[in-house]
């Protein structure tokens, strides 16, 4: 039996579990049993022990802990369809149609805001990203190429933009395919920041944030782990370069038509009214074009006319003439006739910033703020509408359809089908960031599990490479070969990553790592922002700076850091698996200061600094939130406005104790239910009866 702590002065109350104990009615004694006169006046009580109130059951119940990763039950609190009258049924149908229209509308603006967000990042950091590529001599360092790919993609918020720059540089012989492969790997990492930012919008609810942030960062961990394994393999063997070169040389490709724009056909008419960019400027800066450094990324003229005419021009000498017959002199200068091309501006673009003449940085900051606000608003409304729609039987059907595996023995095929679905959906929307960002709120509200979202995310990685391959096939002749080889490198890199981290369940480390990070971020929500800054900015910038200082500096700093990380991981693995092989002091991290193995001291410091900024909601916020809640059917006090504390936080702040089992009214057991009592020593250990 399980060990039971000492009960001390426990006084059981058996009358609570005895039937008839409260009503003690005297029974008339039988005449044949009147042998003992002392017992005739004592009332006899008839009692029976109820088996449902077993002591063992009451002791075992508090030990059950709910798994925080279990999908929540979205119960339908409304009126059932069978209980509605005709008017109510018609009203319910119109409400469903209205919610569907609202959902599609907010989803449309959500995708448009992602496009505008990418444009804003390009305006803010596009020229800086181009300057990263301008020094092609440092690209021979694969580690530096990797961090440049990460930083550029984070700055421009588009892996297709950074990939197109690499293709232009390879086609212009400024960069080799071997040096471009680490940049493509870095772009694969940088593009996963978008859905991680989207997950931050669900920070109001701990449970939703835990699932959403884990579902977003599973993409990050897959990309980071794939790079950690495949980059050294590529540097040692160059297998991606060799395989793709054989494929390109074995087929005679011809130029095709432009790659199909499926989703952009719908979103481009709206986003063109906000801003239009001349993305060629970034590529020109990357190829050391001095004239492009003073150009603006904001496109002014959308319709131009290029004309070629013959004009008389002066030349330094007769040798510069186009031909001897077209060369003459007036006694002072030498003249010749040449074809001169000039561009004439015809019509301006029709967007908001065309006549403002603001610098790129100012336009980028304005668009960044607006797009983030629209993104947050649309995401909150999408989550609210989905939460109101996906209830009862609808939620059950959707969960079973998405999360259920095929029957045995074909259950293993379900994940691979999900990979194909993710690739197909990403091909339709033409962007892995859009697909994974739309997937994140569904994971947060509990419609899709992390285990099912993982293969969908892997499929999106493949889907975005097929789009790049189609775009490469539509490239002009001078860039067809290089762009196709780079697109194939991207494709085979993702295929190699899937073969590493998916087929065998034991190797699906990204799921476990994402769940661990989700648990930490749900408890300390500031850690999510800390993770973004560290992994996508500080680490790449540090490696970039050390690489510029030279190999000796990079190796001198990097090797000790990597050694310490490997040592900590090995020690942590031994502590969790077989702690007996370690010395007693190393079986836990208590030998270190608390701030080095716990986030609690850091949480106290951050709470101290952020406390003055946590002001209650203003009247405008409350009114706006209430209007939102009326549309979605939320209660008066909803979590989206951040005006209410979480229930568990409120109880802890007010000091409400957890109620102990009612079997014994004892201080020891009450404290144990609250987690205040340590495990008993082996000497004083008691076993439950």
């Amino acid at each position: 039996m399980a060990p039971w702590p000492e009960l001390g002065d426990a006084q059981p109350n058996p009358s609570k579990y005895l039937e008839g104990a409260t009503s003690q009615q005297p029974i008339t004694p039988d005449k044949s049993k009147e042998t003992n006169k002392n017992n005739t006046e004592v009332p006899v009580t008839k009692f029976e022990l109820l088996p449902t109130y077993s002591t063992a059951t009451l002791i075992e119940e508090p030990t059950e802990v709910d798994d925080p990763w279990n999908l929540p039950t979205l119960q339908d609190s409304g009126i059932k369809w069978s209980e509605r009258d005709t008017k109510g049924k018609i009203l319910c149908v119109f409400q469903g149609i209205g919610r569907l229209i609202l959902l599609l509308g907010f989803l449309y603006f959500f995708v448009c805001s992602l496009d505008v967000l990418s444009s804003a990042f390009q305006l803010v950091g596009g020229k800086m990203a181009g300057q990263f590529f301008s020094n092609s001599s440092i690209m021979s360092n694969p580690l530096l190429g990797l961090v440049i790919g990460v930083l550029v993609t984070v700055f421009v918020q588009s892996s297709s933009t950074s990939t197109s720059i690499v293709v232009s540089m390879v086609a212009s012989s400024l960069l080799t395919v071997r040096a471009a492969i680490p940049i493509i790997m870095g772009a694969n990492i940088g593009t996963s920041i978008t859905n991680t930012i989207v997950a931050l919008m669900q920070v109001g609810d701990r449970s939703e944030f835990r699932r959403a942030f884990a579902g977003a960062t599973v993409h990050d961990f897959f990309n980071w782990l794939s790079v950690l394994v495949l980059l050294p393999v590529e540097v040692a063997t160059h297998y991606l370069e060799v395989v793709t070169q054989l494929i390109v040389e074995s087929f005679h490709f011809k130029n095709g038509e432009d790659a199909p724009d499926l989703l952009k056909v719908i979103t481009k008419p709206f986003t063109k009214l906000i801003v239009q960019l001349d993305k060629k400027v970034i590529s020109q800066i990357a190829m050391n074009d001095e004239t492009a450094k003073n150009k603006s990324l904001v496109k002014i003229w959308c319709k131009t006319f290029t004309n070629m005419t013959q004009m008389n021009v002066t030349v330094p000498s007769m040798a510069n003439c186009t031909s001897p017959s077209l060369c003459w002199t007036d006694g002072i200068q030498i003249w010749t006739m040449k074809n001169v091309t000039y561009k004439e501006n015809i019509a301006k673009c029709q967007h908001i910033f065309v006549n403002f003449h603001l610098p790129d940085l100012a336009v980028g900051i304005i668009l960044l703020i607006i797009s983030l606000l629209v993104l947050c608003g649309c995401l909150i409304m999408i989550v609210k509408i989905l939460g109101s729609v996906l209830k009862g039987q609808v939620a059950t059907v959707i969960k079973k359809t998405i999360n259920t595996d095929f029957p045995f023995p074909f259950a293993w095929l379900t994940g691979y089908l999900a990979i194909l679905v993710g690739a197909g959906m990403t091909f339709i929307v033409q962007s892995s960031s859009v697909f994974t960002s739309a997937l994140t709120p569904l994971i947060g509200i509990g419609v899709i599990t992390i285990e099912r979202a993982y293969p969908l995310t892997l499929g999106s990685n493949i889907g975005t490479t097929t789009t790049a391959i189609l775009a490469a096939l539509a490239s002009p002749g001078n860039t067809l070969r290089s762009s196709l080889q780079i697109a194939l490198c991207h494709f085979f890199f993702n295929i190699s990553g899937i073969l590493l981290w998916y087929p065998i369940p034991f190797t699906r480390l990204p799921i476990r790592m994402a769940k661990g990070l989700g648990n930490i971020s749900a408890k300390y929500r500031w850690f999510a922002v800390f993770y973004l800054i560290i992994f996508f900015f500080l680490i790449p910038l540090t490696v970039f700076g050390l690489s510029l200082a030279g190999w000796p500096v990079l190796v001198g700093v990097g090797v000790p850091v990597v050694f310490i990380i490997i040592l900590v991981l090995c020690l942590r693995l031994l502590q969790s698996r077989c702690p007996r092989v370690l010395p007693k002091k190393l079986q836990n991290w208590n030998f270190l200061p608390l701030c080095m193995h716990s986030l609690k001291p850091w949480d106290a410091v951050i709470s101290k600094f952020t406390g003055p900024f946590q002001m209650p909601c203003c009247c405008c916020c409350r009114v706006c939130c209430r209007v939102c809640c009326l549309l979605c059917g939320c209660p008066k006090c909803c979590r989206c406005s951040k005006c209410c504390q979480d229930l568990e936080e409120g109880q802890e702040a007010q000091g409400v104790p957890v109620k102990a089992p009612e079997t014994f009214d004892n201080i020891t057991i009450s404290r144990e239910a609250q987690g205040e009592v340590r495990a008993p020593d082996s000497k004083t250990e008691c076993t439950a009866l």
Side-chain angles (χ1 to χ4, degrees), residues 145-154 158-160 162-163 166 180-196 216 218-227 230 240 432-433 436 457-466 468 486-487 489-498 501 536:
L146 174 71
V147 297
I148 285 177
V150 175
L151 291 172
V152 169
T153 310
V154 168
S158 173
S159 60
S160 58
S162 54
T163 305
V166 174
I181 291 175
I183 303 176
I184 298 300
M185 293 182 180
N188 214 48
I189 294 174
T191 190
S192 60
I193 192 177
T194 306
N195 61 324
T196 311
V218 73
H219 194 190
D220 304 352
F221 286 119
F222 169 77
N223 290 330
W224 279 108
L225 289 174
S226 299
V227 166
L230 295 178
L240 288 176
S432 61
S433 298
T436 54
T457 303
L458 301 186
S460 71
N461 272 7
I462 297 177
T464 191
T465 58
T466 57
I486 290 172
C489 288
H490 197 184
F491 175 76
F492 282 107
F493 167 72
N494 284 310
I495 292 293
S496 303
I498 292 174
W501 308 113
F536 290 97

Coordinates of all heavy atoms in Angstrom, one line a residue, residues 145-154 158-160 162-163 166 180-196 216 218-227 230 240 432-433 436 457-466 468 486-487 489-498 501 536:
G145 N 27.2 32.6 -42.8 CA 26.1 32.5 -43.7 C 24.8 32.1 -43.1 O 23.7 32.7 -43.4
L146 N 24.9 31.2 -42.1 CA 23.7 30.7 -41.4 C 23.0 31.9 -40.7 O 21.8 32.1 -40.8 CB 24.0 29.6 -40.5 CG 22.9 29.1 -39.6 CD1 21.9 28.4 -40.4 CD2 23.5 28.2 -38.5
V147 N 23.8 32.6 -39.8 CA 23.2 33.7 -39.0 C 22.8 34.8 -39.9 O 21.8 35.5 -39.5 CB 24.2 34.1 -37.9 CG1 24.5 33.0 -37.0 CG2 25.5 34.7 -38.5
I148 N 23.4 35.1 -41.0 CA 23.0 36.1 -41.9 C 21.6 35.7 -42.5 O 20.7 36.6 -42.6 CB 24.0 36.3 -43.1 CG1 25.2 37.1 -42.5 CG2 23.4 37.1 -44.2 CD1 26.3 37.3 -43.5
G149 N 21.4 34.5 -42.9 CA 20.1 34.0 -43.3 C 19.0 34.2 -42.3 O 17.9 34.6 -42.6
V150 N 19.4 33.9 -41.0 CA 18.4 34.1 -39.9 C 18.1 35.6 -39.8 O 16.9 36.0 -39.7 CB 18.9 33.5 -38.6 CG1 18.0 33.8 -37.4 CG2 19.2 32.0 -38.7
L151 N 19.1 36.4 -39.7 CA 18.8 37.9 -39.4 C 18.1 38.5 -40.5 O 17.2 39.3 -40.3 CB 20.2 38.6 -39.1 CG 20.9 38.2 -37.8 CD1 22.3 38.8 -37.8 CD2 20.1 38.6 -36.6
V152 N 18.5 38.2 -41.8 CA 17.8 38.9 -42.9 C 16.4 38.5 -43.0 O 15.5 39.3 -43.2 CB 18.6 38.5 -44.2 CG1 17.8 38.9 -45.4 CG2 20.0 39.2 -44.3
T153 N 16.1 37.2 -42.8 CA 14.7 36.7 -42.9 C 13.9 37.3 -41.7 O 12.7 37.6 -41.9 CB 14.6 35.2 -42.8 OG1 15.5 34.7 -43.8 CG2 13.3 34.7 -43.1
V154 N 14.5 37.5 -40.5 CA 13.8 38.1 -39.4 C 13.5 39.6 -39.7 O 12.4 40.1 -39.4 CB 14.6 37.9 -38.1 CG1 14.0 38.8 -37.0 CG2 14.6 36.5 -37.6
S158 N 10.2 37.5 -44.5 CA 9.9 36.8 -45.7 C 11.0 35.9 -46.2 O 12.1 36.5 -46.6 CB 9.4 37.7 -46.8 OG 9.2 37.0 -48.0
S159 N 10.9 34.6 -46.1 CA 12.0 33.8 -46.6 C 12.1 33.8 -48.1 O 13.2 33.6 -48.7 CB 11.7 32.3 -46.2 OG 10.5 31.8 -46.7
S160 N 11.0 34.1 -48.8 CA 11.0 34.2 -50.3 C 11.9 35.4 -50.7 O 12.6 35.3 -51.7 CB 9.6 34.3 -50.9 OG 8.9 35.4 -50.4
S162 N 14.5 36.8 -49.0 CA 15.9 36.5 -48.7 C 16.4 35.5 -49.7 O 17.5 35.5 -50.2 CB 16.1 36.0 -47.3 OG 15.2 34.9 -47.0
T163 N 15.5 34.5 -50.1 CA 15.9 33.5 -51.1 C 16.1 34.1 -52.5 O 17.0 33.8 -53.2 CB 14.9 32.4 -51.2 OG1 14.7 31.8 -49.9 CG2 15.3 31.3 -52.1
V166 N 19.4 35.8 -52.6 CA 20.5 34.8 -52.8 C 20.6 34.3 -54.3 O 21.6 34.1 -54.8 CB 20.3 33.6 -51.8 CG1 21.3 32.5 -52.1 CG2 20.4 34.1 -50.4
A180 N 25.8 29.6 -50.6 CA 24.4 30.0 -50.4 C 23.6 29.0 -49.6 O 22.5 29.4 -49.0 CB 23.7 30.1 -51.8
I181 N 24.0 27.7 -49.5 CA 23.2 26.7 -48.8 C 23.0 27.0 -47.3 O 21.9 27.0 -46.8 CB 23.8 25.3 -49.0 CG1 23.6 24.9 -50.5 CG2 23.2 24.3 -48.1 CD1 24.3 23.6 -50.8
P182 N 24.1 27.5 -46.6 CA 23.8 27.9 -45.2 C 22.9 29.0 -45.0 O 22.1 29.1 -44.1 CB 25.2 28.2 -44.7 CG 26.2 27.5 -45.6 CD 25.5 27.4 -46.9
I183 N 22.9 29.9 -46.0 CA 21.9 31.1 -45.9 C 20.5 30.6 -46.1 O 19.6 31.1 -45.4 CB 22.3 32.1 -47.0 CG1 23.7 32.6 -46.9 CG2 21.3 33.3 -47.0 CD1 24.2 33.5 -48.0
I184 N 20.3 29.6 -47.0 CA 19.0 29.0 -47.1 C 18.5 28.3 -45.8 O 17.4 28.4 -45.4 CB 19.0 28.0 -48.3 CG1 19.3 28.7 -49.6 CG2 17.6 27.3 -48.4 CD1 18.4 29.8 -50.0
M185 N 19.4 27.7 -45.2 CA 19.1 27.0 -43.9 C 18.7 28.1 -42.8 O 17.8 27.9 -42.1 CB 20.3 26.2 -43.3 CG 20.7 25.0 -44.2 SD 22.1 24.1 -43.4 CE 22.2 22.7 -44.6
G186 N 19.5 29.2 -42.8 CA 19.1 30.3 -41.9 C 17.8 30.9 -42.2 O 17.0 31.3 -41.3
A187 N 17.5 31.0 -43.5 CA 16.1 31.6 -43.9 C 15.0 30.7 -43.4 O 13.9 31.1 -43.0 CB 16.1 31.8 -45.4
N188 N 15.3 29.4 -43.4 CA 14.3 28.4 -42.9 C 14.0 28.6 -41.4 O 12.9 28.4 -41.0 CB 14.8 27.0 -43.2 CG 13.7 26.0 -43.5 OD1 12.8 26.3 -44.3 ND2 13.7 24.9 -42.8
I189 N 15.0 29.0 -40.7 CA 14.8 29.3 -39.2 C 14.1 30.6 -39.0 O 13.2 30.7 -38.2 CB 16.2 29.3 -38.5 CG1 16.8 27.9 -38.5 CG2 16.1 29.8 -37.1 CD1 18.2 27.8 -38.0
G190 N 14.6 31.6 -39.8 CA 14.0 33.0 -39.6 C 12.5 33.1 -39.9 O 11.8 33.9 -39.3
T191 N 12.1 32.3 -40.8 CA 10.6 32.4 -41.2 C 9.7 31.9 -40.2 O 8.5 32.2 -40.2 CB 10.4 31.7 -42.5 OG1 9.1 32.0 -43.0 CG2 10.5 30.2 -42.4
S192 N 10.2 31.1 -39.2 CA 9.4 30.5 -38.1 C 9.1 31.5 -37.0 O 8.3 31.2 -36.1 CB 10.0 29.3 -37.6 OG 11.3 29.6 -37.0
I193 N 9.6 32.7 -37.1 CA 9.3 33.7 -36.0 C 7.9 34.3 -36.1 O 7.4 34.7 -35.1 CB 10.4 34.8 -36.0 CG1 10.3 35.7 -34.8 CG2 10.2 35.7 -37.3 CD1 11.4 36.8 -34.7
T194 N 7.3 34.2 -37.3 CA 6.0 34.9 -37.5 C 5.0 34.2 -36.7 O 4.2 34.9 -35.9 CB 5.7 34.9 -39.0 OG1 6.7 35.4 -39.8 CG2 4.4 35.7 -39.2
N195 N 4.8 32.9 -36.7 CA 3.8 32.3 -36.0 C 4.1 32.3 -34.5 O 3.2 32.2 -33.6 CB 3.6 30.8 -36.5 CG 4.8 30.0 -36.3 OD1 5.9 30.4 -36.5 ND2 4.6 28.7 -36.0
T196 N 5.4 32.4 -34.1 CA 5.7 32.6 -32.7 C 5.2 33.9 -32.1 O 4.7 34.0 -31.0 CB 7.2 32.4 -32.5 OG1 7.7 31.3 -33.1 CG2 7.6 32.3 -31.0
A216 N 3.5 26.8 -31.8 CA 4.3 27.7 -32.7 C 5.8 27.3 -32.6 O 6.5 27.3 -33.6 CB 4.1 29.1 -32.3
V218 N 7.2 24.5 -31.9 CA 7.6 23.2 -32.5 C 8.2 23.4 -33.8 O 9.1 22.6 -34.2 CB 6.4 22.2 -32.5 CG1 5.4 22.6 -33.6 CG2 6.8 20.8 -32.6
H219 N 7.8 24.4 -34.6 CA 8.4 24.7 -35.9 C 9.8 25.2 -35.7 O 10.8 24.9 -36.4 CB 7.6 25.8 -36.6 CG 7.9 26.0 -38.0 ND1 7.4 27.0 -38.8 CD2 8.7 25.3 -38.8 CE1 7.9 26.9 -40.0 NE2 8.6 25.9 -40.1
D220 N 10.0 26.1 -34.7 CA 11.4 26.6 -34.4 C 12.3 25.5 -34.0 O 13.5 25.4 -34.5 CB 11.3 27.6 -33.2 CG 10.3 28.7 -33.4 OD1 9.8 28.8 -34.5 OD2 10.1 29.5 -32.5
F221 N 11.9 24.6 -33.1 CA 12.8 23.5 -32.7 C 13.2 22.6 -33.8 O 14.3 22.1 -33.9 CB 12.2 22.8 -31.5 CG 12.2 23.6 -30.2 CD1 11.1 23.9 -29.5 CD2 13.5 24.0 -29.7 CE1 11.1 24.6 -28.3 CE2 13.5 24.7 -28.5 CZ 12.3 25.0 -27.8
F222 N 12.2 22.3 -34.7 CA 12.5 21.4 -35.8 C 13.6 22.1 -36.7 O 14.5 21.4 -37.1 CB 11.2 21.2 -36.6 CG 11.5 20.5 -37.9 CD1 11.7 19.2 -38.0 CD2 11.5 21.3 -39.1 CE1 12.0 18.5 -39.2 CE2 11.7 20.7 -40.3 CZ 12.0 19.3 -40.4
N223 N 13.4 23.4 -37.0 CA 14.4 24.0 -37.8 C 15.8 24.1 -37.2 O 16.8 23.9 -37.8 CB 13.9 25.4 -38.2 CG 12.7 25.4 -39.1 OD1 12.6 24.5 -39.9 ND2 11.9 26.4 -39.0
W224 N 15.8 24.4 -35.9 CA 17.1 24.6 -35.2 C 17.8 23.2 -35.1 O 19.0 23.1 -35.3 CB 16.9 25.1 -33.8 CG 16.8 26.6 -33.7 CD1 15.6 27.3 -33.5 CD2 17.8 27.6 -33.9 NE1 15.9 28.7 -33.5 CE2 17.2 28.9 -33.8 CE3 19.2 27.5 -34.2 CZ2 17.9 30.1 -33.9 CZ3 19.9 28.7 -34.4 CH2 19.3 29.9 -34.2
L225 N 17.1 22.2 -34.7 CA 17.7 20.8 -34.6 C 18.1 20.3 -36.0 O 19.2 19.7 -36.1 CB 16.7 19.9 -34.0 CG 16.3 20.0 -32.5 CD1 15.2 19.1 -32.1 CD2 17.6 19.8 -31.6
S226 N 17.4 20.6 -37.0 CA 17.8 20.2 -38.4 C 19.1 20.9 -38.8 O 20.0 20.2 -39.3 CB 16.7 20.5 -39.4 OG 15.5 19.8 -39.1
V227 N 19.2 22.1 -38.4 CA 20.4 22.9 -38.8 C 21.6 22.4 -38.0 O 22.7 22.2 -38.5 CB 20.2 24.4 -38.6 CG1 21.5 25.1 -38.6 CG2 19.3 24.9 -39.7
L230 N 22.4 19.0 -39.8 CA 22.7 18.9 -41.2 C 23.7 19.9 -41.7 O 24.4 19.7 -42.7 CB 21.4 19.1 -42.0 CG 20.3 18.1 -41.8 CD1 19.0 18.4 -42.5 CD2 20.8 16.7 -42.2
L240 N 24.0 18.2 -50.3 CA 23.0 18.9 -50.9 C 23.4 19.5 -52.2 O 22.7 19.5 -53.2 CB 22.5 20.0 -50.0 CG 21.7 19.6 -48.7 CD1 21.4 20.8 -47.8 CD2 20.4 18.9 -49.1
S432 N 4.3 29.6 -46.0 CA 4.3 28.7 -44.8 C 4.0 29.6 -43.5 O 3.4 29.1 -42.6 CB 5.7 28.1 -44.6 OG 6.7 29.0 -44.5
S433 N 4.4 30.9 -43.5 CA 4.1 31.7 -42.4 C 2.6 31.9 -42.2 O 2.0 31.9 -41.1 CB 4.7 33.1 -42.5 OG 6.1 32.9 -42.6
T436 N 1.0 28.4 -40.9 CA 1.3 28.1 -39.5 C 0.8 29.1 -38.6 O 0.4 28.8 -37.4 CB 2.9 28.0 -39.3 OG1 3.5 29.2 -39.8 CG2 3.4 26.8 -40.0
T457 N 2.9 21.1 -39.7 CA 4.0 22.1 -39.8 C 5.1 21.6 -40.7 O 5.7 22.4 -41.5 CB 4.6 22.4 -38.4 OG1 3.5 22.9 -37.6 CG2 5.6 23.5 -38.5
L458 N 5.5 20.3 -40.6 CA 6.5 19.8 -41.4 C 6.1 19.8 -42.9 O 6.9 20.1 -43.8 CB 6.8 18.3 -41.0 CG 7.3 18.1 -39.6 CD1 7.7 16.6 -39.4 CD2 8.5 19.0 -39.3
G459 N 4.8 19.5 -43.1 CA 4.3 19.6 -44.5 C 4.3 21.0 -45.0 O 4.6 21.3 -46.2
S460 N 4.1 22.0 -44.2 CA 4.2 23.4 -44.6 C 5.6 23.8 -45.1 O 5.8 24.6 -46.0 CB 3.7 24.4 -43.5 OG 4.7 24.4 -42.5
N461 N 6.6 23.2 -44.4 CA 8.0 23.4 -44.8 C 8.2 22.9 -46.2 O 9.0 23.5 -47.0 CB 9.0 22.7 -43.8 CG 9.3 23.6 -42.7 OD1 8.8 24.7 -42.5 ND2 10.2 23.1 -41.9
I462 N 7.6 21.7 -46.6 CA 7.8 21.2 -47.9 C 6.9 22.0 -48.9 O 7.4 22.3 -50.0 CB 7.3 19.7 -47.9 CG1 8.2 18.9 -47.0 CG2 7.3 19.2 -49.3 CD1 7.8 17.4 -46.9
G463 N 5.8 22.5 -48.5 CA 4.9 23.2 -49.4 C 5.5 24.5 -49.8 O 5.4 24.9 -51.0
T464 N 6.2 25.2 -48.9 CA 6.8 26.5 -49.3 C 8.0 26.3 -50.3 O 8.3 27.1 -51.1 CB 7.3 27.2 -48.1 OG1 7.6 28.6 -48.4 CG2 8.5 26.6 -47.4
T465 N 8.6 25.1 -50.2 CA 9.7 24.8 -51.2 C 9.2 24.5 -52.6 O 9.8 24.8 -53.6 CB 10.6 23.7 -50.7 OG1 9.8 22.5 -50.5 CG2 11.3 24.0 -49.4
T466 N 8.0 23.8 -52.7 CA 7.4 23.6 -54.0 C 7.1 24.9 -54.7 O 7.2 25.0 -55.9 CB 6.2 22.7 -53.8 OG1 5.3 23.3 -52.9 CG2 6.6 21.3 -53.3
A468 N 8.7 27.6 -54.3 CA 10.0 28.2 -54.7 C 10.5 27.5 -56.0 O 11.1 28.1 -56.9 CB 11.0 28.1 -53.6
I486 N 19.1 26.2 -56.0 CA 18.9 26.6 -54.6 C 17.5 26.2 -54.1 O 17.4 25.8 -52.9 CB 19.1 28.2 -54.6 CG1 20.5 28.5 -54.8 CG2 18.6 28.7 -53.2 CD1 20.8 30.0 -55.0
A487 N 16.5 26.3 -54.9 CA 15.2 25.8 -54.5 C 15.2 24.3 -54.2 O 14.6 23.9 -53.2 CB 14.1 26.1 -55.6
C489 N 17.9 22.7 -53.2 CA 18.6 22.5 -51.9 C 17.7 22.8 -50.7 O 17.7 22.0 -49.7 CB 19.8 23.5 -51.9 SG 21.1 23.2 -52.9
H490 N 16.8 23.8 -50.8 CA 15.8 24.0 -49.7 C 14.9 22.9 -49.6 O 14.6 22.4 -48.4 CB 15.1 25.3 -50.1 CG 14.3 25.9 -49.0 ND1 13.5 27.0 -49.1 CD2 14.3 25.6 -47.6 CE1 13.0 27.3 -47.9 NE2 13.5 26.5 -47.0
F491 N 14.5 22.3 -50.7 CA 13.5 21.1 -50.6 C 14.2 19.9 -50.0 O 13.6 19.3 -49.0 CB 13.1 20.8 -52.1 CG 12.2 19.6 -52.2 CD1 10.9 19.6 -51.8 CD2 12.8 18.4 -52.6 CE1 10.1 18.5 -51.9 CE2 12.0 17.2 -52.7 CZ 10.6 17.3 -52.3
F492 N 15.4 19.6 -50.4 CA 16.0 18.4 -49.8 C 16.5 18.6 -48.4 O 16.6 17.6 -47.6 CB 17.2 18.0 -50.7 CG 16.8 17.2 -52.0 CD1 16.9 17.8 -53.2 CD2 16.3 15.9 -51.9 CE1 16.5 17.2 -54.3 CE2 15.9 15.3 -53.0 CZ 16.0 15.9 -54.3
F493 N 16.8 19.8 -48.0 CA 17.1 20.1 -46.6 C 15.9 19.8 -45.7 O 16.1 19.2 -44.7 CB 17.5 21.6 -46.5 CG 17.6 22.1 -45.0 CD1 18.6 21.6 -44.2 CD2 16.6 22.9 -44.5 CE1 18.6 22.1 -42.9 CE2 16.6 23.3 -43.2 CZ 17.7 22.9 -42.4
N494 N 14.7 20.2 -46.1 CA 13.5 19.9 -45.3 C 13.2 18.4 -45.3 O 12.7 17.9 -44.3 CB 12.3 20.7 -45.8 CG 12.4 22.2 -45.4 OD1 12.6 22.5 -44.3 ND2 12.3 23.1 -46.4
I495 N 13.4 17.8 -46.5 CA 13.1 16.3 -46.5 C 14.1 15.6 -45.6 O 13.7 14.7 -44.8 CB 13.3 15.8 -47.9 CG1 12.2 16.3 -48.8 CG2 13.3 14.3 -48.0 CD1 10.8 15.8 -48.5
S496 N 15.4 16.0 -45.6 CA 16.3 15.4 -44.6 C 16.0 15.6 -43.2 O 16.1 14.8 -42.3 CB 17.7 16.0 -44.9 OG 18.1 15.8 -46.3
G497 N 15.5 16.9 -42.9 CA 15.0 17.1 -41.5 C 13.9 16.3 -41.1 O 13.8 15.8 -39.9
I498 N 12.9 16.0 -42.0 CA 11.8 15.2 -41.7 C 12.2 13.7 -41.4 O 11.8 13.1 -40.5 CB 10.7 15.3 -42.8 CG1 10.1 16.7 -42.8 CG2 9.7 14.2 -42.6 CD1 9.2 16.9 -44.0
W501 N 13.7 13.7 -37.8 CA 12.9 14.0 -36.6 C 11.5 13.6 -36.7 O 10.7 14.1 -35.9 CB 13.0 15.5 -36.3 CG 14.4 16.1 -36.3 CD1 15.0 16.9 -37.1 CD2 15.4 15.8 -35.3 NE1 16.3 17.2 -36.8 CE2 16.6 16.5 -35.7 CE3 15.4 15.0 -34.2 CZ2 17.7 16.4 -34.9 CZ3 16.6 14.9 -33.5 CH2 17.7 15.6 -33.8
F536 N 16.4 34.6 -31.7 CA 16.3 35.2 -33.0 C 17.1 36.5 -33.2 O 17.2 36.9 -34.4 CB 14.9 35.4 -33.4 CG 14.1 34.1 -33.6 CD1 13.3 33.6 -32.6 CD2 14.1 33.5 -34.8 CE1 12.6 32.4 -32.8 CE2 13.4 32.3 -35.1 CZ 12.7 31.8 -34.0

